[in-house]
Amino acid sequence: MDINSIRLHYEIPGDDFTIAGEASSNVKKMLNQLGIAPDIVKKTSIAMYEAEINAVIHAGGGEANIEITGEKITIVIKDNGPGIPDVELAMQEGYSTASDYVRELGFGAGMGLPNIKRYSDKLDIQTEVGKGTVVTIVVNIN
Amino acid sequence: METYFHSVTLDENKCMGCTNCIKRCPTEAIRVRKGKARIINERCIDCGECIRVCPYHAKKAITDPFDSIYSYKYKIAIPAPSIYGQFKPSFSRNQILNTLKAIGFDYVYEVAKAAEVVSFATREIIKKDGFKKPLISSACPAVVRLIQVRFPNLIDNILKLESPMEVAAKLVKSEVVNKGYALPDEIGVFFITPCAAKATSVKAPYEKERSNVDGVISMKDIYIKMLNALDRPEETDILDKAGYEGIRWAGPGGESTALETDKFLAVDGIHNVITILEEIESDRLEDIDFVEALACTGGCLGGPLTVVNPYVARKRLRKHVIEAKEKSMPKTFQEKYDSDLVWTSDIKYRPVMKLDEDIIKAMKKLETLERINKELPGLDCGACGAPSCRALAEDIVRGIANETDCIFKLREKVRELAIQMAELEAKMPPVLDREKGKR
Ligand SMILES: Nc1ncnc2c1ncn2[C@@H]1O[C@H](COP(=O)(O)OP(=O)(O)OP(=O)(O)O)[C@@H](O)[C@H]1O
Ligand code: SF4
Ligand SMILES: [Mg+2]
């Protein structure tokens, strides 16, 4: 383990849309306090926001664990939701299983996962139907 | 680096050291120390939120005194469009403008007229396309400064055209010289301002070396003077030359509606502005070409140096807009304005929230900050002088506060001390601790 690292932990509640995204906005604030370059902060917070929202919308909440070192930011979003049956399909732009209700709230364009891929330097999705999903996002700092 | 100038200051005598302002400040720039509010200069964006919320009127803006106009031979007033909302609807715009002459100015030129020039130039940019979307208006300097400290990724979205105030000052100076009314160095141009932010943009402009405006006078400061002169009959000059598009800039949505596009979003009130800028920075706002963001609720009509309630002022403004339409005032400016409107200097990100220059040190500080924060009661009561428990934790790691500034922490410490004292009291010094009856 790197001694020069920060670890953060957030619970992601699954029942409240109005506070969804709080964890990523807290992380964003901290990255700014660390003096991380603005474009890196932007990439990280967008990627984390999308994963956080997915945990809220598709999986009834979960948790976020973040590790920041001098080299990179690692975000792990874990949930015990339904899992993703076909990850390759889910990764396609425009693919979404969101309900009409969720769409009315402005989500469900099927752009979350593609955006995470675009804004991260590394993306790993471990998922099992009926058990849950772990999304790991890495953004390099330099 | 030169010291950072901003216009909002504190009147020490009036400040009671309450927590109203520290809680409302959008950049957490205020702390209470020794019973008085202190502004952390480099964080202040001059939005004037604290001026508005202070129940003791201890927050004020540095503007020029009215008498400063007398240091110029030829005195020109350029009033912000928000001035029209400050007087009863029975007074015409021309009357209001002539009042400025009655109280001592030699010439008056509406900033609203210059606003039309800026609207025209903005329309051209939007028509041509090829700009970074959405374009964010630079009309409100408090918003520009907010972007500078909190939204560095949006600096390239700012509409980098001179403000109507600057354009007005430039236009009126050449007009007066061309007409032979005065020589360039005899002229003093004074902006009649609704806010602190505009005062700062004259004293310390970010878009150019030096402002065209020579002084800034608070709308509040000349209000009584104007009221007293309003119904003097000697109104003669025709000064109301701006069209309705320019007048509308005073309220929210005014700048946008002049752009002939539906793809705009107008937001007012600094806390709402922050929410929208967050959305833009995270690429969550779609299909919008132009964002008009105004720090004050009600736009400039709600400026901290205005007098009349912004909603009343808005109603009053409407009358002037309708009249200008009826008179079929030219929709766009007629005079040709050749000078380039584009900023000659630019703004850079000022990372005022950064904990340390060195990232490893910053990480250590952040870790300590989080640890301290967890141990604080989480009440955000403000009694420590910081806006929230987390802000106190931040101040502690920055070395400008102590844990015992938190009254709950202090009480904990006192209790511990009391317990220790009781324990100590129970212990007898060995020399006195003799068995009874023995000598
Ligand atoms: N944590 C998750 N648990 C279960 N299913 C998920 C999870 N994350 C994504 N999915 C599935 O993958 C699909 C695509 O996700 P993606 O984030 O790309 O789009 P979306 O969430 O549907 O819409 P948008 O992100 O644009 O609002 C989702 O509709 C959902 O079926
Ligand atoms: S909205 Fe207008 S009055 Fe308020 S700070 Fe901005 S420019 Fe000044
Ligand atoms: Mg999604």
Side-chain angles (χ1 to χ4, degrees):
Chain A
M1 196 193 95
D2 197 336
I3 312 166
N4 292 320
S5 82
I6 291 182
R7 282 156 192 282
L8 305 162
H9 172 85
Y10 296 93
E11 295 293 324
I12 305 171
D15 48 4
D16 193 344
F17 280 113
T18 56
I19 55 172
E22 235 175 48
S24 38
S25 79
N26 278 331
V27 168
K28 183 178 174 187
K29 188 171 179 184
M30 288 184 205
L31 295 176
N32 281 327
Q33 286 185 316
L34 291 176
I36 308 255
D39 55 323
I40 306 285
V41 176
K42 176 177 170 166
K43 282 169 69 177
T44 313
S45 67
I46 294 183
M48 178 172 170
Y49 174 83
E50 292 293 353
E52 188 186 349
I53 294 286
N54 277 355
V56 175
I57 292 179
H58 306 297
E63 61 177 69
N65 287 291
I66 297 98
E67 190 188 12
I68 308 165
T69 67
E71 285 84 47
K72 62 179 197 266
I73 305 154
T74 309
I75 295 153
V76 182
I77 310 270
K78 183 172 175 290
D79 66 59
N80 300 316
I84 308 171
D86 186 342
V87 174
E88 214 178 300
L89 184 63
M91 287 299 301
Q92 283 178 15
E93 284 191 13
Y95 176 81
S96 173
T97 58
S99 65
D100 287 351
Y101 163 65
V102 166
R103 279 168 210 268
E104 259 167 46
L105 289 168
F107 304 107
M111 288 306 293
L113 290 174
N115 273 339
I116 299 176
K117 178 128 191 91
R118 180 146 60 101
Y119 286 115
S120 61
D121 292 304
K122 221 158 92 189
L123 167 66
D124 174 69
I125 303 175
Q126 298 293 325
T127 182
E128 205 181 322
V129 173
K131 284 192 115 169
T133 305
V134 181
V135 176
T136 306
I137 298 160
V138 178
V139 178
N140 296 330
I141 286 179
N142 293 311
Chain B
M1 228 181 88
E2 82 269 45
T3 50
Y4 178 68
F5 178 86
H6 67 94
S7 168
V8 175
T9 47
L10 182 81
D11 185 339
E12 289 255 350
N13 297 325
K14 288 185 181 167
C15 178
M16 300 291 285
C18 72
T19 59
N20 284 298
C21 61
I22 58 175
K23 295 237 134 208
R24 289 293 294 173
C25 176
T27 54
E28 297 191 333
I30 315 176
R31 300 290 183 274
V32 177
R33 293 272 173 275
K34 298 193 174 127
K36 301 283 171 198
R38 298 262 177 279
I39 301 173
I40 304 171
N41 288 338
E42 62 275 15
R43 285 194 188 185
C44 175
I45 58 167
D46 277 320
C47 67
E49 201 63 15
C50 55
I51 298 182
R52 244 189 302 266
V53 299
C54 179
Y56 307 103
H57 309 290
K59 289 282 193 345
K60 53 185 188 188
I62 302 176
T63 50
D64 296 306
F66 181 76
D67 285 351
S68 65
I69 71 168
Y70 298 114
S71 24
Y72 293 88
K73 192 163 169 232
Y74 198 81
K75 315 159 210 32
I76 302 174
I78 53 169
S82 40
I83 202 159
Y84 310 126
Q86 307 303 308
F87 302 97
K88 285 226 172 70
S90 51
F91 297 108
S92 72
R93 189 149 58 96
N94 206 35
Q95 256 173 312
I96 296 169
L97 294 167
N98 272 282
T99 304
L100 286 165
K101 285 192 73 178
I103 65 172
F105 289 99
D106 300 299
Y107 201 80
V108 180
Y109 188 96
E110 299 176 276
V111 170
K113 191 159 161 57
E116 294 175 84
V117 178
V118 179
S119 284
F120 180 82
T122 313
R123 276 200 294 270
E124 293 296 297
I125 291 176
I126 292 183
K127 250 189 256 162
K128 270 193 213 119
D129 221 357
F131 54 90
K132 194 167 177 210
K133 286 181 188 179
L135 215 48
I136 302 174
S137 163
S138 55
C140 175
V143 169
V144 173
R145 288 193 195 257
L146 173 73
I147 290 174
Q148 201 180 3
V149 297
R150 269 189 69 167
F151 299 96
N153 288 305
L154 299 181
I155 288 178
D156 292 341
N157 294 65
I158 296 173
L159 173 66
K160 285 170 185 142
L161 292 182
E162 289 206 42
S163 67
M165 172 187 79
E166 288 296 333
V167 176
K170 216 190 273 181
L171 285 175
V172 72
K173 271 185 187 170
S174 56
E175 186 172 304
V176 161
V177 172
N178 287 344
K179 284 185 177 166
Y181 296 162
L183 296 170
D185 55 359
E186 295 172 334
I187 302 172
V189 176
F190 289 83
F191 179 61
I192 314 299
T193 189
C195 67
K198 283 282 181 194
T200 301
S201 74
V202 168
K203 309 281 174 204
Y206 42 70
E207 76 277 25
K208 50 167 41 168
E209 272 290 303
R210 207 175 163 276
S211 171
N212 299 316
V213 179
D214 301 296
V216 181
I217 293 170
S218 157
M219 220 171 261
K220 238 180 206 165
D221 287 354
I222 57 164
Y223 190 64
I224 304 276
K225 249 191 197 352
M226 285 185 75
L227 273 187
N228 289 333
L230 250 182
D231 31 22
R232 266 184 233 161
E234 64 248 40
E235 165 204 330
T236 43
D237 301 8
I238 296 167
L239 298 169
D240 55 346
K241 293 177 184 159
Y244 67 91
E245 272 190 351
I247 302 170
R248 263 202 314 225
W249 272 62
E255 182 188 3
S256 304
T257 36
L259 295 179
E260 295 165 0
T261 171
D262 288 337
K263 296 186 176 178
F264 73 85
L265 182 152
V267 55
D268 56 328
I270 193 76
H271 296 279
N272 296 330
V273 168
I274 289 171
T275 311
I276 293 297
L277 294 181
E278 290 279 358
E279 296 283 301
I280 301 172
E281 192 170 45
S282 311
D283 288 343
R284 292 202 285 271
L285 262 197
E286 291 157 25
D287 209 28
I288 288 186
D289 285 351
F290 187 81
V291 172
E292 176 189 327
L294 299 167
C296 301
T297 305
C300 301
L301 291 171
L305 304 180
T306 59
V307 181
V308 168
N309 173 289
Y311 297 92
V312 174
R314 201 163 172 190
K315 196 204 152 268
R316 291 180 176 178
L317 188 82
R318 208 150 55 217
K319 181 211 135 201
H320 296 294
V321 171
I322 293 168
E323 271 178 15
K325 266 187 192 166
E326 279 168 356
K327 272 205 213 162
S328 66
M329 292 276 185
K331 198 165 150 221
T332 49
F333 64 104
Q334 286 178 322
E335 282 152 77
K336 208 160 152 42
Y337 185 73
D338 290 321
S339 327
D340 204 356
L341 286 178
V342 178
W343 290 7
T344 50
S345 54
D346 208 345
I347 55 171
K348 274 201 205 76
Y349 178 35
R350 292 194 303 110
V352 294
M353 299 298 172
K354 188 150 85 174
L355 292 169
D356 203 291
E357 286 305 315
D358 180 88
I359 181 161
I360 300 298
K361 281 185 193 150
M363 279 168 57
K364 292 233 161 72
K365 285 186 184 171
L366 184 60
E367 218 172 5
T368 317
L369 189 164
E370 286 304 311
R371 204 189 56 239
I372 297 171
N373 185 33
K374 276 208 186 83
E375 283 160 15
L376 293 172
L379 295 173
D380 294 343
C381 70
C384 59
S388 66
C389 296
R390 195 173 191 279
L392 175 67
E394 187 189 320
D395 289 351
I396 295 170
V397 299
R398 285 186 196 273
I400 55 169
N402 299 305
E403 214 162 339
T404 45
D405 290 351
C406 169
I407 53 168
F408 299 93
K409 279 279 152 196
L410 183 68
R411 202 163 72 179
E412 234 170 64
K413 286 258 151 62
V414 170
R415 178 184 292 148
E416 276 167 24
L417 218 61
I419 293 171
Q420 276 174 21
M421 274 166 66
E423 279 171 7
L424 283 178
E425 203 270 335
K427 285 189 182 126
M428 276 296 208
V431 279
L432 299 176
D433 195 11
R434 298 197 179 106
E435 281 176 57
K436 268 190 193 130
K438 285 193 178 170
R439 293 215 109 212

